[in-house]
Amino acid sequence: MNSGSVILIRDLSFAYSETGPEVLRNISIDIGARNICTLLGPNGSGKTTLLNLILGWLRPLAGRIEINGRDGADFSRREMSRVVGFVPQEEPAGFELNVMEYVLLGRAPYLGFLETPGAEDRQAAEKALEAIGIRKLRGRTLPTLSAGEKQLAAIARVLAQDPQIFLLDEPMSHLDLANTQRVCWTIESLRDEGKTVVFTTHDPNAVSYTHLRAHETVLDL
């Protein structure tokens, strides 16, 4: 059940250049609290672009985006990272961080300049690793992980971040059935905790997974 608008998008259009084609045209959507919203569409339909617009990384050609009743353009990067967490479809993993160090990056919005993570931050990271089922990977370096393990580590990072809104770009694309099910459970538990989850997929079956049948919003791009 919605308890107020968290993300409001009105008449949104976007193009990557002034003379280029519109990637998105006249998109309007109202995403409430405690909501799982799926952005469904084939590759190249603008799903990732829409997430980048919500994050404020891109500016719309027309229309507006509000987060918690506030224009998204008014948020500082630090403010935005406390409210919105993002898991990209793929993330460069050439650096030699181990999984625990990587998940702790999710705590950065709560740390001061040059401040190192404390006991509370490590507790949040441990909880995130446990929730997504990869605690045994905590000492592994990112380049040694499979694509699916990297995806789970990225989800753990955003769980440790603990934002109000989770944006997940194709979160199940590299996962086997068991881990896909685990991610579905995680998404459902976030909704039950009062979070808002927006995730993209090109797979219509993702919308009909048993654990996600309580969708309140599905946007077909």
Side-chain angles (χ1 to χ4, degrees):
M1 183 175 72
N2 286 357
S3 57
S5 176
V6 174
I7 301 174
L8 180 70
I9 299 172
R10 282 291 176 269
D11 304 318
L12 186 73
S13 296
F14 177 80
Y16 280 99
S17 70
E18 293 183 3
T19 58
E22 290 186 353
V23 179
L24 298 169
R25 179 179 295 176
N26 297 330
I27 299 293
S28 291
I29 186 171
D30 186 352
I31 304 172
R34 303 177 64 90
N35 193 311
I36 299 169
C37 173
T38 304
L39 304 178
L40 174 65
N43 293 334
S45 61
K47 304 185 301 296
T48 300
T49 298
L50 183 55
L51 296 186
N52 288 334
L53 284 159
I54 294 171
L55 287 161
W57 295 354
L58 297 173
R59 296 299 183 199
L61 186 67
R64 73 183 195 276
I65 299 174
E66 295 180 3
I67 297 174
N68 291 330
R70 182 178 167 191
D71 192 315
D74 292 340
F75 284 78
S76 70
R77 183 61 61 89
R78 185 177 180 85
E79 285 178 311
M80 182 66 78
S81 62
R82 288 187 175 189
V83 177
V84 183
F86 176 54
V87 176
Q89 185 173 353
E90 293 187 10
E91 193 166 45
F95 39 87
E96 291 291 332
L97 293 178
N98 65 36
V99 170
M100 181 60 171
E101 292 167 335
Y102 174 65
V103 172
L104 278 170
L105 292 178
R107 302 300 300 168
Y110 307 101
L111 301 177
F113 183 62
L114 296 181
E115 184 180 359
T116 58
E120 184 178 347
D121 303 305
R122 293 187 174 277
Q123 184 178 16
E126 292 283 4
K127 181 180 177 182
L129 290 169
E130 187 70 32
I132 206 66
I134 58 168
R135 195 171 185 277
K136 65 180 183 291
L137 300 178
R138 65 197 307 280
R140 291 264 303 276
T141 58
L142 295 181
T144 69
L145 302 181
S146 68
E149 288 168 340
K150 289 176 184 175
Q151 191 77 352
L152 293 175
I155 293 172
R157 173 182 53 76
V158 81
L159 290 175
Q161 185 178 338
D162 192 31
Q164 177 191 3
I165 300 166
F166 289 74
L167 304 182
L168 313 178
D169 196 5
E170 297 276 0
M172 298 165 242
S173 60
H174 300 298
L175 303 181
D176 58 22
L177 182 59
N179 282 322
T180 294
Q181 194 171 56
R182 181 179 290 275
V183 171
C184 288
W185 286 331
T186 300
I187 290 174
E188 185 182 47
S189 69
L190 288 170
R191 188 267 317 279
D192 292 344
E193 292 169 11
K195 308 292 188 180
T196 296
V197 181
V198 181
F199 78 93
T200 71
T201 182
H202 64 274
D203 182 6
N205 292 323
V207 182
S208 60
Y209 286 137
T210 299
H211 307 96
L212 299 179
R213 285 181 181 167
H215 279 74
E216 295 179 34
T217 310
V218 177
L219 181 62
D220 193 354
L221 294 176

